[in-house]
Amino acid sequence: MSEGGMTVLDGTHLRSLQVAMPDSEVTFTGAQVLDLAESEASDSLFGLSLPQCLKSSALQRVNVDDGVSFRRSELTKEAATSKLNDYLTAIADELKDNPLVVSILDGNTLRLFLEDEDEFAMLAENIFTDLDIEDKGKISKGEIRNALLHMGVEMGIPPFEDFPLLNDILKKHGAEGEVELGQLQFAELLQPILQEVADTLAQKHVAIIHNIRIVNGSKLRKLLTNEKQLNNVTEKILQEKRSKKDDQKNTEIIRGFLEENGKELGLPPSEANEAVVLLYDAVLADVQSGKCDAESEDVFGELVKEILEKFAEQLEANPIYCDLDN
């Protein structure tokens, strides 16, 4: 897919993996097990460097609370292979509950710019104008680095920290120093640099994680299967009901509570975007009207559960993306 789009990593890519420890050794350290599992997972996820929070949560799923001690431990080949595949499954499960949203940079977007002369000329002109702050009609060679930063992931350029080869490419093409370039010279220098970046990305893709959380109902479904947690939530909403005026509808009380506390339960933040408002409207319009006016606390509890179940169903069918940068 093009870099303009995004890919959701939900663990599906890892489900078919069956990995064995190498035959060269009889026993293995926990470090060897984790390193091999993380390497296999990374290779299956477009070379993505696994976030530390993902690895930590996956380790907890396989009952490894102390990663340092486990890395020092020794396991037989059979035990190591079992733990290796359990860990891979745990990473997949964690991604199912908390998917990552990434852009896969493979050079395609850059090639689209480079293959259309008019498109590239316009791109180069716009970047040059933005970088020529003093309006001198000239910028230094060193500004090429800022040109790449200016283009960013949206135009197919990975961040320098994720793709250090950018530094080597700039150096190779002499895009350094204070020698000044006019607009045409800037374009002539930028073009081969972008071409080499595109060719390099075509050989080895780079995956960039976006600061986006996908709310897909997974956490909410876990809550619904835990009777104690569900009862605690219901009791908190009942306390809200007891403190409200008698003329306030049950659905209004429940909505108010969920909008304020829903994030902890696995609902998207109410202020996230318009889709969240529409989600609340759709769910609450669909509940049984008879329960909405019920006075019985038992029936009120059933109403709470029904509403949470409908939220879980809706989010599973239509996950909501929450941009954490905004």
Side-chain angles (χ1 to χ4, degrees):
M1 65 182 294
S2 70
E3 287 99 27
M6 293 184 285
T7 298
V8 176
L9 303 181
D10 61 1
T12 304
H13 296 80
L14 304 179
R15 296 292 177 191
S16 59
L17 286 181
Q18 280 297 320
V19 186
M21 300 301 293
D23 294 324
S24 55
E25 299 177 48
V26 178
T27 61
F28 298 86
T29 64
Q32 289 174 295
V33 173
L34 300 187
D35 290 347
L36 179 57
E38 289 162 11
S39 174
E40 291 286 341
S42 177
D43 288 346
S44 296
L45 299 173
F46 309 100
L48 182 74
S49 179
L50 303 183
Q52 186 58 47
C53 58
L54 169 61
K55 294 188 284 189
S56 298
S57 297
L59 283 174
Q60 289 178 359
R61 288 176 182 261
V62 291
N63 301 317
V64 175
D65 296 320
D66 185 349
V68 175
S69 296
F70 179 76
R71 294 183 77 86
R72 295 188 189 127
S73 65
E74 287 205 355
L75 299 90
T76 64
K77 182 184 177 185
E78 183 180 356
T81 296
S82 176
K83 184 63 80 172
L84 165 66
N85 286 289
D86 286 348
Y87 185 34
L88 284 170
T89 299
I91 293 173
D93 290 343
E94 184 61 26
L95 284 171
K96 182 180 180 182
D97 287 349
N98 298 289
L100 294 177
V101 180
V102 301
S103 284
I104 310 300
L105 306 187
D106 58 7
N108 279 338
T109 297
L110 289 174
R111 275 191 290 278
L112 290 175
F113 283 118
L114 293 164
E115 288 168 1
D116 186 322
E117 289 185 15
D118 293 337
E119 189 80 24
F120 174 73
M122 186 179 296
L123 171 69
E125 180 181 348
N126 290 339
I127 295 175
F128 183 89
T129 301
D130 287 341
L131 295 177
D132 183 17
I133 300 171
E134 298 177 5
D135 202 20
K136 295 191 304 181
K138 290 186 178 295
I139 60 174
S140 69
K141 276 188 172 184
E143 286 289 327
I144 292 284
R145 170 182 288 270
N146 287 330
L148 299 185
L149 290 170
H150 185 88
M151 291 176 70
V153 172
E154 190 175 337
M155 293 189 185
I157 299 289
F160 279 80
E161 60 268 25
D162 293 300
F163 192 59
L165 278 174
L166 280 177
N167 292 306
D168 299 332
I169 292 171
L170 289 176
K171 190 172 184 178
K172 174 182 173 182
H173 290 273
E176 298 175 312
E178 298 302 317
V179 175
E180 293 194 322
L181 306 171
Q183 184 179 312
L184 181 59
Q185 293 168 305
F186 168 79
E188 289 173 345
L189 180 58
L190 180 64
Q191 188 169 21
I193 288 172
L194 294 185
Q195 187 64 62
E196 184 160 351
V197 173
D199 293 344
T200 305
L201 288 171
Q203 294 174 7
K204 185 173 177 57
H205 303 350
V206 173
I208 305 298
I209 300 175
H210 293 279
N211 198 18
I212 292 174
R213 183 165 67 94
I214 298 180
V215 183
N216 58 12
S218 175
K219 186 174 181 179
L220 198 51
R221 286 190 292 277
K222 286 184 179 178
L223 168 68
L224 286 162
T225 59
N226 187 317
E227 189 176 350
K228 184 177 178 182
Q229 286 186 6
L230 180 60
N231 288 340
N232 285 341
V233 172
T234 303
E235 180 56 35
K236 287 178 182 177
I237 304 177
L238 272 169
Q239 288 173 8
E240 292 273 329
K241 175 178 168 62
R242 293 170 191 138
S243 66
K244 301 290 183 184
K245 296 176 182 177
D246 291 339
D247 60 351
Q248 190 165 7
K249 290 182 179 179
N250 288 339
T251 49
E252 292 176 359
I253 296 169
I254 294 170
R255 179 169 187 155
F257 178 87
L258 293 181
E259 285 180 337
E260 189 173 340
N261 304 282
K263 188 177 177 181
E264 299 167 17
L265 309 179
L267 287 169
S270 56
E271 70 279 5
N273 51 48
E274 188 181 351
V276 180
V277 177
L278 295 174
L279 171 67
Y280 271 84
D281 290 345
V283 167
L284 292 167
D286 196 33
V287 296
Q288 295 178 18
S289 57
K291 292 179 183 175
C292 295
D293 302 318
E295 293 298 323
S296 162
E297 293 192 351
D298 287 341
V299 176
F300 184 84
E302 291 173 14
L303 177 62
V304 170
K305 184 177 181 181
E306 181 184 336
I307 288 173
L308 293 178
E309 286 173 343
K310 289 186 182 297
F311 270 115
E313 289 170 13
Q314 289 277 353
L315 288 168
E316 184 174 23
N318 300 292
I320 286 182
Y321 290 50
C322 301
D323 188 343
L324 302 181
D325 288 328
N326 293 326

